[in-house]
mmCIF file of all heavy atoms in Angstrom:
data_model
loop_
_atom_site.group_PDB
_atom_site.id
_atom_site.type_symbol
_atom_site.label_atom_id
_atom_site.label_comp_id
_atom_site.label_asym_id
_atom_site.label_seq_id
_atom_site.Cartn_x
_atom_site.Cartn_y
_atom_site.Cartn_z
ATOM 1 N N GLY A 19 2.823 6.814 -13.372
ATOM 2 C CA GLY A 19 3.963 6.031 -12.922
ATOM 3 C C GLY A 19 3.608 5.126 -11.760
ATOM 4 O O GLY A 19 4.029 3.967 -11.715
ATOM 5 N N LEU A 20 2.839 5.630 -10.817
ATOM 6 C CA LEU A 20 2.423 4.836 -9.663
ATOM 7 C C LEU A 20 1.558 3.661 -10.111
ATOM 8 O O LEU A 20 1.769 2.524 -9.695
ATOM 9 C CB LEU A 20 1.665 5.713 -8.667
ATOM 10 C CG LEU A 20 1.150 5.026 -7.415
ATOM 11 C CD1 LEU A 20 2.301 4.467 -6.602
ATOM 12 C CD2 LEU A 20 0.334 6.014 -6.589
ATOM 13 N N ARG A 21 0.599 3.928 -10.975
ATOM 14 C CA ARG A 21 -0.269 2.855 -11.474
ATOM 15 C C ARG A 21 0.537 1.809 -12.240
ATOM 16 O O ARG A 21 0.336 0.608 -12.078
ATOM 17 C CB ARG A 21 -1.359 3.433 -12.372
ATOM 18 C CG ARG A 21 -2.411 4.199 -11.630
ATOM 19 C CD ARG A 21 -3.396 4.849 -12.616
ATOM 20 N NE ARG A 21 -4.398 5.603 -11.929
ATOM 21 C CZ ARG A 21 -5.551 5.098 -11.483
ATOM 22 N NH1 ARG A 21 -5.828 3.831 -11.691
ATOM 23 N NH2 ARG A 21 -6.411 5.855 -10.852
ATOM 24 N N LEU A 22 1.448 2.277 -13.072
ATOM 25 C CA LEU A 22 2.268 1.361 -13.862
ATOM 26 C C LEU A 22 3.144 0.501 -12.958
ATOM 27 O O LEU A 22 3.267 -0.709 -13.159
ATOM 28 C CB LEU A 22 3.122 2.151 -14.856
ATOM 29 C CG LEU A 22 3.964 1.346 -15.827
ATOM 30 C CD1 LEU A 22 3.087 0.456 -16.695
ATOM 31 C CD2 LEU A 22 4.766 2.292 -16.709
ATOM 32 N N LEU A 23 3.748 1.121 -11.955
ATOM 33 C CA LEU A 23 4.593 0.374 -11.032
ATOM 34 C C LEU A 23 3.785 -0.680 -10.282
ATOM 35 O O LEU A 23 4.192 -1.838 -10.185
ATOM 36 C CB LEU A 23 5.278 1.317 -10.043
ATOM 37 C CG LEU A 23 6.164 0.643 -9.008
ATOM 38 C CD1 LEU A 23 7.325 -0.083 -9.678
ATOM 39 C CD2 LEU A 23 6.680 1.657 -8.007
ATOM 40 N N LEU A 24 2.627 -0.294 -9.768
ATOM 41 C CA LEU A 24 1.812 -1.248 -9.023
ATOM 42 C C LEU A 24 1.338 -2.394 -9.913
ATOM 43 O O LEU A 24 1.334 -3.550 -9.504
ATOM 44 C CB LEU A 24 0.623 -0.547 -8.373
ATOM 45 C CG LEU A 24 0.991 0.370 -7.216
ATOM 46 C CD1 LEU A 24 -0.232 1.114 -6.710
ATOM 47 C CD2 LEU A 24 1.642 -0.404 -6.088
ATOM 48 N N ARG A 25 0.956 -2.068 -11.128
ATOM 49 C CA ARG A 25 0.529 -3.114 -12.060
ATOM 50 C C ARG A 25 1.688 -4.066 -12.360
ATOM 51 O O ARG A 25 1.519 -5.279 -12.406
ATOM 52 C CB ARG A 25 0.009 -2.484 -13.358
ATOM 53 C CG ARG A 25 -0.510 -3.475 -14.356
ATOM 54 C CD ARG A 25 -1.629 -4.251 -13.706
ATOM 55 N NE ARG A 25 -1.893 -5.469 -14.405
ATOM 56 C CZ ARG A 25 -3.099 -5.927 -14.650
ATOM 57 N NH1 ARG A 25 -4.150 -5.254 -14.244
ATOM 58 N NH2 ARG A 25 -3.264 -7.060 -15.267
ATOM 59 N N ALA A 26 2.864 -3.513 -12.562
ATOM 60 C CA ALA A 26 4.032 -4.345 -12.847
ATOM 61 C C ALA A 26 4.344 -5.261 -11.672
ATOM 62 O O ALA A 26 4.682 -6.439 -11.861
ATOM 63 C CB ALA A 26 5.234 -3.467 -13.173
ATOM 64 N N VAL A 27 4.217 -4.749 -10.466
ATOM 65 C CA VAL A 27 4.461 -5.569 -9.273
ATOM 66 C C VAL A 27 3.436 -6.701 -9.208
ATOM 67 O O VAL A 27 3.785 -7.868 -8.993
ATOM 68 C CB VAL A 27 4.414 -4.706 -7.992
ATOM 69 C CG1 VAL A 27 4.369 -5.576 -6.754
ATOM 70 C CG2 VAL A 27 5.592 -3.758 -7.939
ATOM 71 N N LEU A 28 2.172 -6.357 -9.404
ATOM 72 C CA LEU A 28 1.117 -7.369 -9.339
ATOM 73 C C LEU A 28 1.269 -8.427 -10.428
ATOM 74 O O LEU A 28 0.928 -9.589 -10.224
ATOM 75 C CB LEU A 28 -0.260 -6.707 -9.445
ATOM 76 C CG LEU A 28 -0.657 -5.858 -8.238
ATOM 77 C CD1 LEU A 28 -1.936 -5.090 -8.534
ATOM 78 C CD2 LEU A 28 -0.816 -6.718 -6.995
ATOM 79 N N ASP A 29 1.781 -8.022 -11.578
ATOM 80 C CA ASP A 29 1.999 -8.959 -12.678
ATOM 81 C C ASP A 29 3.310 -9.726 -12.545
ATOM 82 O O ASP A 29 3.610 -10.589 -13.373
ATOM 83 C CB ASP A 29 1.990 -8.227 -14.024
ATOM 84 C CG ASP A 29 0.609 -7.746 -14.419
ATOM 85 O OD1 ASP A 29 -0.383 -8.183 -13.791
ATOM 86 O OD2 ASP A 29 0.505 -6.931 -15.357
ATOM 87 N N GLY A 30 4.121 -9.387 -11.545
ATOM 88 C CA GLY A 30 5.392 -10.063 -11.340
ATOM 89 C C GLY A 30 6.461 -9.689 -12.357
ATOM 90 O O GLY A 30 7.400 -10.444 -12.574
ATOM 91 N N ARG A 31 6.344 -8.524 -12.946
ATOM 92 C CA ARG A 31 7.311 -8.085 -13.959
ATOM 93 C C ARG A 31 8.638 -7.730 -13.309
ATOM 94 O O ARG A 31 8.685 -7.128 -12.248
ATOM 95 C CB ARG A 31 6.772 -6.890 -14.732
ATOM 96 C CG ARG A 31 5.564 -7.218 -15.588
ATOM 97 C CD ARG A 31 5.172 -6.070 -16.474
ATOM 98 N NE ARG A 31 6.284 -5.529 -17.226
ATOM 99 C CZ ARG A 31 6.782 -6.025 -18.351
ATOM 100 N NH1 ARG A 31 6.237 -7.097 -18.866
ATOM 101 N NH2 ARG A 31 7.788 -5.460 -18.966
ATOM 102 N N THR A 32 9.723 -8.071 -13.974
ATOM 103 C CA THR A 32 11.047 -7.757 -13.442
ATOM 104 C C THR A 32 11.323 -6.261 -13.479
ATOM 105 O O THR A 32 12.132 -5.775 -12.688
ATOM 106 C CB THR A 32 12.139 -8.498 -14.227
ATOM 107 O OG1 THR A 32 12.029 -8.149 -15.609
ATOM 108 C CG2 THR A 32 12.036 -9.989 -14.058
ATOM 109 N N ASP A 33 10.643 -5.511 -14.344
ATOM 110 C CA ASP A 33 10.824 -4.055 -14.398
ATOM 111 C C ASP A 33 10.592 -3.438 -13.018
ATOM 112 O O ASP A 33 11.283 -2.509 -12.610
ATOM 113 C CB ASP A 33 9.825 -3.387 -15.350
ATOM 114 C CG ASP A 33 9.761 -4.014 -16.708
ATOM 115 O OD1 ASP A 33 9.255 -5.147 -16.793
ATOM 116 O OD2 ASP A 33 10.195 -3.366 -17.670
ATOM 117 N N ALA A 34 9.595 -3.947 -12.316
ATOM 118 C CA ALA A 34 9.262 -3.408 -11.005
ATOM 119 C C ALA A 34 10.402 -3.624 -10.026
ATOM 120 O O ALA A 34 10.708 -2.751 -9.212
ATOM 121 C CB ALA A 34 7.983 -4.052 -10.487
ATOM 122 N N HIS A 35 11.062 -4.767 -10.110
ATOM 123 C CA HIS A 35 12.174 -5.046 -9.200
ATOM 124 C C HIS A 35 13.369 -4.154 -9.515
ATOM 125 O O HIS A 35 14.078 -3.712 -8.612
ATOM 126 C CB HIS A 35 12.559 -6.522 -9.269
ATOM 127 C CG HIS A 35 11.450 -7.426 -8.846
ATOM 128 N ND1 HIS A 35 10.983 -7.488 -7.559
ATOM 129 C CD2 HIS A 35 10.682 -8.275 -9.567
ATOM 130 C CE1 HIS A 35 9.992 -8.342 -7.491
ATOM 131 N NE2 HIS A 35 9.778 -8.835 -8.696
ATOM 132 N N VAL A 36 13.573 -3.870 -10.782
ATOM 133 C CA VAL A 36 14.650 -2.959 -11.174
ATOM 134 C C VAL A 36 14.375 -1.578 -10.600
ATOM 135 O O VAL A 36 15.261 -0.923 -10.054
ATOM 136 C CB VAL A 36 14.796 -2.911 -12.713
ATOM 137 C CG1 VAL A 36 15.725 -1.785 -13.145
ATOM 138 C CG2 VAL A 36 15.281 -4.246 -13.236
ATOM 139 N N ARG A 37 13.132 -1.113 -10.709
ATOM 140 C CA ARG A 37 12.771 0.207 -10.177
ATOM 141 C C ARG A 37 12.884 0.238 -8.661
ATOM 142 O O ARG A 37 13.321 1.219 -8.081
ATOM 143 C CB ARG A 37 11.364 0.613 -10.599
ATOM 144 C CG ARG A 37 11.139 0.664 -12.076
ATOM 145 C CD ARG A 37 12.159 1.528 -12.803
ATOM 146 N NE ARG A 37 11.859 1.537 -14.221
ATOM 147 C CZ ARG A 37 12.733 1.326 -15.183
ATOM 148 N NH1 ARG A 37 13.981 1.108 -14.903
ATOM 149 N NH2 ARG A 37 12.386 1.357 -16.439
ATOM 150 N N ALA A 38 12.489 -0.849 -8.019
ATOM 151 C CA ALA A 38 12.606 -0.919 -6.562
ATOM 152 C C ALA A 38 14.074 -0.848 -6.150
ATOM 153 O O ALA A 38 14.427 -0.195 -5.166
ATOM 154 C CB ALA A 38 11.955 -2.190 -6.033
ATOM 155 N N GLY A 39 14.939 -1.505 -6.904
ATOM 156 C CA GLY A 39 16.371 -1.435 -6.630
ATOM 157 C C GLY A 39 16.907 -0.034 -6.793
ATOM 158 O O GLY A 39 17.740 0.433 -6.019
ATOM 159 N N PHE A 40 16.407 0.666 -7.804
ATOM 160 C CA PHE A 40 16.791 2.053 -8.028
ATOM 161 C C PHE A 40 16.386 2.914 -6.827
ATOM 162 O O PHE A 40 17.162 3.732 -6.344
ATOM 163 C CB PHE A 40 16.123 2.572 -9.307
ATOM 164 C CG PHE A 40 16.413 4.013 -9.599
ATOM 165 C CD1 PHE A 40 17.548 4.362 -10.311
ATOM 166 C CD2 PHE A 40 15.560 5.008 -9.169
ATOM 167 C CE1 PHE A 40 17.820 5.691 -10.583
ATOM 168 C CE2 PHE A 40 15.830 6.343 -9.432
ATOM 169 C CZ PHE A 40 16.963 6.682 -10.144
ATOM 170 N N MET A 41 15.161 2.721 -6.356
ATOM 171 C CA MET A 41 14.680 3.470 -5.191
ATOM 172 C C MET A 41 15.542 3.160 -3.968
ATOM 173 O O MET A 41 15.898 4.054 -3.212
ATOM 174 C CB MET A 41 13.230 3.099 -4.884
ATOM 175 C CG MET A 41 12.246 3.570 -5.903
ATOM 176 S SD MET A 41 12.009 5.327 -5.835
ATOM 177 C CE MET A 41 11.237 5.491 -4.261
ATOM 178 N N PHE A 42 15.874 1.887 -3.812
ATOM 179 C CA PHE A 42 16.671 1.479 -2.661
ATOM 180 C C PHE A 42 18.015 2.195 -2.675
ATOM 181 O O PHE A 42 18.434 2.779 -1.671
ATOM 182 C CB PHE A 42 16.868 -0.042 -2.684
ATOM 183 C CG PHE A 42 17.647 -0.542 -1.529
ATOM 184 C CD1 PHE A 42 17.020 -0.798 -0.325
ATOM 185 C CD2 PHE A 42 19.013 -0.750 -1.620
ATOM 186 C CE1 PHE A 42 17.744 -1.248 0.768
ATOM 187 C CE2 PHE A 42 19.735 -1.204 -0.540
ATOM 188 C CZ PHE A 42 19.097 -1.450 0.655
ATOM 189 N N GLU A 43 18.680 2.163 -3.807
ATOM 190 C CA GLU A 43 20.010 2.767 -3.904
ATOM 191 C C GLU A 43 19.978 4.290 -3.823
ATOM 192 O O GLU A 43 20.945 4.891 -3.366
ATOM 193 C CB GLU A 43 20.692 2.333 -5.201
ATOM 194 C CG GLU A 43 21.069 0.867 -5.221
ATOM 195 C CD GLU A 43 21.960 0.448 -4.056
ATOM 196 O OE1 GLU A 43 22.867 1.205 -3.662
ATOM 197 O OE2 GLU A 43 21.741 -0.655 -3.529
ATOM 198 N N ASN A 44 18.904 4.911 -4.246
ATOM 199 C CA ASN A 44 18.874 6.370 -4.326
ATOM 200 C C ASN A 44 18.082 7.064 -3.233
ATOM 201 O O ASN A 44 18.137 8.291 -3.127
ATOM 202 C CB ASN A 44 18.352 6.795 -5.701
ATOM 203 C CG ASN A 44 19.354 6.500 -6.775
ATOM 204 O OD1 ASN A 44 20.343 7.197 -6.920
ATOM 205 N ND2 ASN A 44 19.134 5.424 -7.504
ATOM 206 N N ILE A 45 17.345 6.305 -2.432
ATOM 207 C CA ILE A 45 16.631 6.918 -1.314
ATOM 208 C C ILE A 45 16.999 6.226 -0.003
ATOM 209 O O ILE A 45 17.445 6.869 0.941
ATOM 210 C CB ILE A 45 15.102 6.909 -1.534
ATOM 211 C CG1 ILE A 45 14.756 7.821 -2.706
ATOM 212 C CG2 ILE A 45 14.376 7.369 -0.276
ATOM 213 C CD1 ILE A 45 13.287 7.925 -3.011
ATOM 214 N N VAL A 46 16.823 4.921 0.065
ATOM 215 C CA VAL A 46 17.070 4.197 1.319
ATOM 216 C C VAL A 46 18.533 4.306 1.741
ATOM 217 O O VAL A 46 18.832 4.698 2.872
ATOM 218 C CB VAL A 46 16.635 2.718 1.193
ATOM 219 C CG1 VAL A 46 17.083 1.917 2.402
ATOM 220 C CG2 VAL A 46 15.133 2.625 1.000
ATOM 221 N N THR A 47 19.440 3.993 0.843
ATOM 222 C CA THR A 47 20.863 4.009 1.202
ATOM 223 C C THR A 47 21.340 5.397 1.623
ATOM 224 O O THR A 47 21.972 5.530 2.678
ATOM 225 C CB THR A 47 21.712 3.435 0.046
ATOM 226 O OG1 THR A 47 21.268 2.097 -0.219
ATOM 227 C CG2 THR A 47 23.184 3.418 0.395
ATOM 228 N N PRO A 48 21.043 6.471 0.861
ATOM 229 C CA PRO A 48 21.480 7.796 1.320
ATOM 230 C C PRO A 48 20.844 8.215 2.651
ATOM 231 O O PRO A 48 21.494 8.863 3.475
ATOM 232 C CB PRO A 48 21.043 8.737 0.197
ATOM 233 C CG PRO A 48 20.895 7.884 -0.998
ATOM 234 C CD PRO A 48 20.478 6.536 -0.492
ATOM 235 N N LEU A 49 19.592 7.829 2.872
ATOM 236 C CA LEU A 49 18.928 8.167 4.124
ATOM 237 C C LEU A 49 19.640 7.514 5.300
ATOM 238 O O LEU A 49 19.967 8.181 6.288
ATOM 239 C CB LEU A 49 17.453 7.740 4.074
ATOM 240 C CG LEU A 49 16.674 7.821 5.379
ATOM 241 C CD1 LEU A 49 16.682 9.239 5.944
ATOM 242 C CD2 LEU A 49 15.253 7.327 5.170
ATOM 243 N N ILE A 50 19.923 6.239 5.195
ATOM 244 C CA ILE A 50 20.600 5.539 6.290
ATOM 245 C C ILE A 50 22.027 6.057 6.451
ATOM 246 O O ILE A 50 22.514 6.232 7.572
ATOM 247 C CB ILE A 50 20.566 4.015 6.078
ATOM 248 C CG1 ILE A 50 19.113 3.506 6.110
ATOM 249 C CG2 ILE A 50 21.438 3.300 7.100
ATOM 250 C CD1 ILE A 50 18.345 3.838 7.381
ATOM 251 N N ARG A 51 22.693 6.312 5.338
ATOM 252 C CA ARG A 51 24.057 6.863 5.406
ATOM 253 C C ARG A 51 24.054 8.167 6.210
ATOM 254 O O ARG A 51 24.894 8.384 7.079
ATOM 255 C CB ARG A 51 24.601 7.083 3.999
ATOM 256 C CG ARG A 51 26.028 7.585 3.972
ATOM 257 C CD ARG A 51 26.629 7.688 2.575
ATOM 258 N NE ARG A 51 25.768 8.374 1.631
ATOM 259 C CZ ARG A 51 25.247 7.821 0.532
ATOM 260 N NH1 ARG A 51 25.519 6.574 0.216
ATOM 261 N NH2 ARG A 51 24.480 8.515 -0.273
ATOM 262 N N GLU A 52 23.075 9.023 5.945
ATOM 263 C CA GLU A 52 22.994 10.312 6.646
ATOM 264 C C GLU A 52 22.620 10.129 8.114
ATOM 265 O O GLU A 52 23.173 10.795 8.988
ATOM 266 C CB GLU A 52 21.992 11.225 5.942
ATOM 267 C CG GLU A 52 21.888 12.593 6.543
ATOM 268 C CD GLU A 52 23.157 13.414 6.464
ATOM 269 O OE1 GLU A 52 24.092 13.050 5.726
ATOM 270 O OE2 GLU A 52 23.222 14.454 7.161
ATOM 271 N N LEU A 53 21.679 9.238 8.399
ATOM 272 C CA LEU A 53 21.310 8.992 9.794
ATOM 273 C C LEU A 53 22.495 8.431 10.579
ATOM 274 O O LEU A 53 22.717 8.819 11.731
ATOM 275 C CB LEU A 53 20.115 8.035 9.874
ATOM 276 C CG LEU A 53 18.760 8.620 9.483
ATOM 277 C CD1 LEU A 53 17.708 7.523 9.422
ATOM 278 C CD2 LEU A 53 18.344 9.718 10.447
ATOM 279 N N ARG A 54 23.269 7.561 9.960
ATOM 280 C CA ARG A 54 24.470 7.039 10.629
ATOM 281 C C ARG A 54 25.482 8.157 10.867
ATOM 282 O O ARG A 54 26.116 8.207 11.920
ATOM 283 C CB ARG A 54 25.113 5.932 9.791
ATOM 284 C CG ARG A 54 24.468 4.587 9.930
ATOM 285 C CD ARG A 54 25.345 3.560 9.261
ATOM 286 N NE ARG A 54 24.786 2.228 9.288
ATOM 287 C CZ ARG A 54 25.455 1.151 8.926
ATOM 288 N NH1 ARG A 54 26.714 1.250 8.505
ATOM 289 N NH2 ARG A 54 24.892 -0.032 8.963
ATOM 290 N N ARG A 55 25.659 9.024 9.880
ATOM 291 C CA ARG A 55 26.611 10.121 10.023
ATOM 292 C C ARG A 55 26.214 11.010 11.203
ATOM 293 O O ARG A 55 27.034 11.354 12.048
ATOM 294 C CB ARG A 55 26.676 10.955 8.741
ATOM 295 C CG ARG A 55 27.768 12.030 8.739
ATOM 296 C CD ARG A 55 27.676 12.951 7.540
ATOM 297 N NE ARG A 55 26.480 13.771 7.540
ATOM 298 C CZ ARG A 55 26.282 14.843 8.308
ATOM 299 N NH1 ARG A 55 27.206 15.222 9.158
ATOM 300 N NH2 ARG A 55 25.174 15.534 8.231
ATOM 301 N N GLU A 56 24.924 11.354 11.277
ATOM 302 C CA GLU A 56 24.435 12.192 12.378
ATOM 303 C C GLU A 56 24.654 11.521 13.736
ATOM 304 O O GLU A 56 24.941 12.185 14.720
ATOM 305 C CB GLU A 56 22.939 12.473 12.210
ATOM 306 C CG GLU A 56 22.588 13.433 11.115
ATOM 307 C CD GLU A 56 21.088 13.658 11.001
ATOM 308 O OE1 GLU A 56 20.309 13.005 11.743
ATOM 309 O OE2 GLU A 56 20.687 14.494 10.175
ATOM 310 N N ALA A 57 24.472 10.202 13.778
ATOM 311 C CA ALA A 57 24.588 9.460 15.042
ATOM 312 C C ALA A 57 26.020 9.034 15.348
ATOM 313 O O ALA A 57 26.263 8.375 16.363
ATOM 314 C CB ALA A 57 23.682 8.229 14.998
ATOM 315 N N GLU A 58 26.963 9.401 14.450
ATOM 316 C CA GLU A 58 28.358 9.028 14.602
ATOM 317 C C GLU A 58 28.540 7.512 14.699
ATOM 318 O O GLU A 58 29.314 6.998 15.501
ATOM 319 C CB GLU A 58 28.983 9.748 15.799
ATOM 320 C CG GLU A 58 28.964 11.264 15.647
ATOM 321 C CD GLU A 58 29.540 12.005 16.843
ATOM 322 O OE1 GLU A 58 29.894 11.359 17.867
ATOM 323 O OE2 GLU A 58 29.629 13.240 16.749
ATOM 324 N N LEU A 59 27.790 6.806 13.852
ATOM 325 C CA LEU A 59 27.899 5.356 13.751
ATOM 326 C C LEU A 59 28.806 5.015 12.570
ATOM 327 O O LEU A 59 29.045 5.867 11.717
ATOM 328 C CB LEU A 59 26.511 4.745 13.547
ATOM 329 C CG LEU A 59 25.562 4.866 14.755
ATOM 330 C CD1 LEU A 59 24.142 4.492 14.360
ATOM 331 C CD2 LEU A 59 26.051 3.987 15.898
ATOM 332 N N PRO A 60 29.280 3.779 12.484
ATOM 333 C CA PRO A 60 30.155 3.401 11.358
ATOM 334 C C PRO A 60 29.459 3.638 10.009
ATOM 335 O O PRO A 60 28.255 3.437 9.882
ATOM 336 C CB PRO A 60 30.398 1.903 11.574
ATOM 337 C CG PRO A 60 30.084 1.656 13.005
ATOM 338 C CD PRO A 60 29.061 2.668 13.406
ATOM 339 N N ASP A 61 30.240 4.052 9.018
ATOM 340 C CA ASP A 61 29.659 4.278 7.693
ATOM 341 C C ASP A 61 29.344 2.948 7.022
ATOM 342 O O ASP A 61 29.726 1.881 7.500
ATOM 343 C CB ASP A 61 30.558 5.159 6.831
ATOM 344 C CG ASP A 61 31.911 4.536 6.522
ATOM 345 O OD1 ASP A 61 32.032 3.298 6.573
ATOM 346 O OD2 ASP A 61 32.843 5.289 6.215
ATOM 347 N N LEU A 62 28.643 3.013 5.903
ATOM 348 C CA LEU A 62 28.199 1.803 5.211
ATOM 349 C C LEU A 62 29.355 1.001 4.617
ATOM 350 O O LEU A 62 29.221 -0.201 4.408
ATOM 351 C CB LEU A 62 27.174 2.149 4.133
ATOM 352 C CG LEU A 62 25.835 2.645 4.682
ATOM 353 C CD1 LEU A 62 24.974 3.210 3.559
ATOM 354 C CD2 LEU A 62 25.107 1.534 5.419
ATOM 355 N N ALA A 63 30.469 1.646 4.351
ATOM 356 C CA ALA A 63 31.639 0.922 3.844
ATOM 357 C C ALA A 63 32.265 0.069 4.951
ATOM 358 O O ALA A 63 32.819 -0.996 4.698
ATOM 359 C CB ALA A 63 32.663 1.898 3.281
#
């Protein structure tokens, strides 16, 4: 999977951008949401 993703990125395939978006929504967003909650900062909404 790692090799395929890197190859797709290097080839400029849109599949890689879709996967990156998936990672963003499922790892980055929940991580920041939780860090904000812990710090009592405004939520993402």
Side-chain angles (χ1 to χ4, degrees):
L20 179 62
R21 288 175 181 272
L22 184 60
L23 179 63
L24 290 175
R25 183 59 198 222
V27 168
L28 291 172
D29 289 347
R31 293 188 50 81
T32 57
D33 310 70
H35 298 292
V36 169
R37 302 307 181 228
F40 178 87
M41 291 288 293
F42 181 84
E43 291 304 320
N44 289 284
I45 294 181
V46 171
T47 301
L49 171 58
I50 296 303
R51 183 175 49 243
E52 183 64 13
L53 287 172
R54 279 190 182 189
R55 187 188 66 76
E56 287 180 356
E58 299 178 355
L59 292 168
D61 63 23
L62 292 169

